[in-house]
Amino acid sequence: MATGGDIIEVTYNHPTIGGGVFYPKAAEDNNYDLGGIRSADDMNMVDGGGNMIDQMNRARWAVEVLIVNDMNTNNELEKCVAMAESSVLADWTFTHINGTVYVGKGKPVGDLQNNVNQATFPLKVSGGAKLKKQ
């Protein structure tokens, strides 16, 4: 039986900014991309004899999750902005409600925009190599 559900906790440990915990909003769709090697999806990648040309490239890992933002005390958005501005990567841990934990070294990428009505912001964390199950 496959068990889906919430990412219940996101932790980070940055060498200069420090560490902490972000709490995702419950019952939202979140995504993992484990990274690694991908083959291009291009129907024209064949030679004159009809043989496949397999273009293989590395892809970084990524996790997209909707984070709850407490603008008064926890300042989650400000912490993510600081890590996005840093050239140093943090250690990240993503814990799923079924007990599965993934870890990787990366940083926030893309837009960081707070939804002040919902008290949330979408966070995409990405890094090199692969996201690994702990």
Side-chain angles (χ1 to χ4, degrees):
M1 173 179 83
T3 303
D6 295 333
I7 296 175
I8 58 172
E9 180 180 271
V10 176
T11 66
Y12 64 91
N13 187 10
H14 191 277
T16 58
I17 295 167
V21 178
F22 296 140
Y23 292 104
K25 187 171 181 288
E28 295 290 330
D29 289 334
N30 301 297
N31 299 295
Y32 290 111
D33 182 335
L34 301 181
I37 297 173
R38 304 286 190 271
S39 291
D41 182 13
D42 184 343
M43 296 303 287
N44 294 317
M45 291 296 288
V46 294
D47 65 18
N51 300 300
M52 179 179 178
I53 301 169
D54 189 12
Q55 178 183 338
M56 297 173 63
N57 299 103
R58 292 193 181 277
R60 61 188 190 190
W61 65 265
V63 176
E64 296 181 69
V65 60
L66 189 64
I67 298 295
V68 174
N69 186 41
D70 178 355
M71 293 186 295
N72 292 322
T73 57
N74 292 340
N75 302 306
E76 290 89 350
L77 184 64
E78 285 83 353
K79 292 170 186 171
C80 285
V81 168
M83 285 187 276
E85 292 173 341
S86 176
S87 61
V88 179
L89 302 178
D91 293 312
W92 292 84
T93 302
F94 305 91
T95 304
H96 191 270
I97 199 166
N98 68 8
T100 301
V101 176
Y102 282 97
V103 298
K105 188 174 279 293
K107 66 185 289 184
V109 298
D111 290 334
L112 292 166
Q113 298 178 347
N114 188 31
N115 181 326
V116 295
N117 189 48
Q118 300 274 327
T120 60
F121 66 94
L123 172 62
K124 182 175 183 179
V125 179
S126 188
K130 289 184 180 180
L131 191 65
K132 297 193 181 211
K133 192 182 282 191
Q134 194 174 42

